[in-house]
Amino acid sequence: MNARPPVRRPRLFVSNVVSRRPGARRFHDAVTMLSNSLVQSASGSWDVTWAFAEDDGSARTLDRARDADAIILMGGEDISPDLYGVAPGYPGEGPHWRRADLAQIALARFAVADGVPLLGVCRGLQILAVALGGNLVEDVDVPGHRSATFLDDHRLARHDVLVEASSMLARGIPRREGGAGGPDPGGRLRLRVHSAHHQAVADPGPHLVVSATAPDGTVEGVEHPAAPVLGVQWHPEDPEADPAGLRALLGLLREGREGAIGMSGAGRARPVLV
């Protein structure tokens, strides 16, 4: 009689930038608030590893992520500008954590190469683009993407995004008649999001496609056409956002992992994801 494979919960590797930010308490508190919210939401159905790329470096980050069923790259500081070919000194530039940048770039490339589902959130989307040959707008010059009071009140900006109906991302949008997820006249799906960013993707590079934009043209979503890898510029983990949005994106990660398992070699005993 063949033994049934062990049943386990899927493993989610959540990569943050750094565990401590001396001299930047308000920013650290805001980033931690968002990470806490995501981990709390995911922990109901995932075993979550909460990691810090600056602390761990590239080798340890990759080693810790190798048995993950899915990966999330969280928000944080700007990426070191030389990594996408521009000079420092742009408007709004803050501190950089280069060790974290390199570790998360390596993590994004690993996910694409191995077919591990990955979601990039805000900076995480930008990491994904830079990792795969894209570049960034150093300072977004259109209003509405960030709140001047965010570090004080943790209230993010609100704006619409338009999602391509044929995209992987579109499958992760809760549909409501006359509301979020409803189509615009061009057939794209309209979604109200919460955001806090002063940079964005300028060119996603040769390996990603744009899946969502703001009405002003700012890139808000990218995805890989041949791997379960995507990024969103907004913060679905914001505690004030509709929790159905984050649940749906976590569902996409699970769907991607189950698809990857289904394409794996036959005859190998694999744990069942519950």
Side-chain angles (χ1 to χ4, degrees):
M1 181 176 179
N2 293 330
R4 297 182 63 186
V7 176
R8 66 165 175 84
R9 301 204 311 166
R11 299 178 181 129
L12 180 65
F13 186 82
V14 178
S15 179
N16 294 269
V17 177
V18 66
S19 62
R20 296 178 65 251
R21 292 178 174 87
R25 181 189 57 80
R26 291 191 305 156
F27 184 77
H28 185 74
D29 287 349
V31 171
T32 302
M33 176 272 294
L34 292 169
S35 293
N36 273 329
S37 177
L38 183 138
V39 170
Q40 182 177 2
S41 296
S43 292
S45 55
W46 299 75
D47 286 336
V48 179
T49 297
W50 191 346
F52 300 94
E54 180 73 14
D55 301 29
D56 288 343
S58 297
R60 178 159 169 74
T61 293
L62 289 173
D63 185 61
R64 296 182 70 192
R66 287 196 190 281
D67 67 347
D69 295 299
I71 295 166
I72 296 182
L73 301 177
M74 296 296 292
E77 288 84 353
D78 296 354
I79 301 165
S80 301
D82 65 290
L83 296 177
Y84 56 96
V86 304
Y90 54 82
E93 183 178 9
H96 304 292
W97 298 94
R98 186 180 179 83
R99 179 174 157 97
D101 299 338
L102 295 174
Q104 291 187 328
I105 285 171
L107 194 56
R109 291 172 178 167
F110 158 72
V112 172
D114 280 38
V116 179
L118 180 144
L119 171 65
V121 175
C122 194
R123 165 193 157 96
L125 174 149
Q126 296 163 16
I127 283 281
L128 179 59
V130 171
L132 299 183
N135 55 49
L136 307 180
V137 179
E138 298 100 288
D139 189 57
V140 174
D141 62 359
V142 292
H145 293 273
R146 53 182 163 166
S147 165
T149 63
F150 171 60
L151 295 184
D152 297 312
D153 60 17
H154 292 179
R155 180 176 172 81
L156 283 75
R158 274 76 161 161
H159 64 84
D160 286 353
V161 299
L162 300 172
V163 180
E164 298 298 329
S166 61
S167 66
M168 173 173 34
L169 176 59
R171 299 203 305 271
I173 295 178
R175 309 298 172 88
R176 293 179 176 82
E177 291 296 327
D184 79 334
R188 294 175 295 178
L189 305 177
R190 183 177 294 272
L191 183 67
R192 192 75 171 170
V193 301
H194 296 197
S195 70
H197 64 102
H198 85 106
Q199 296 192 313
V201 169
D203 177 0
H207 303 293
L208 297 171
V209 296
V210 174
S211 56
T213 57
D216 60 32
T218 301
V219 173
E220 294 283 341
V222 299
E223 58 190 52
H224 196 285
V229 170
L230 73 160
V232 297
Q233 188 59 72
W234 64 90
H235 286 277
E237 78 279 23
D238 179 14
E240 294 188 12
D242 183 347
L246 178 57
R247 286 197 301 267
L249 288 170
L250 290 170
L252 273 186
L253 293 180
R254 185 172 179 135
E255 176 186 320
R257 183 54 181 165
E258 290 167 350
I261 290 172
M263 292 184 290
S264 299
R268 298 175 63 186
R270 291 180 175 272
V272 176
L273 304 185
V274 297

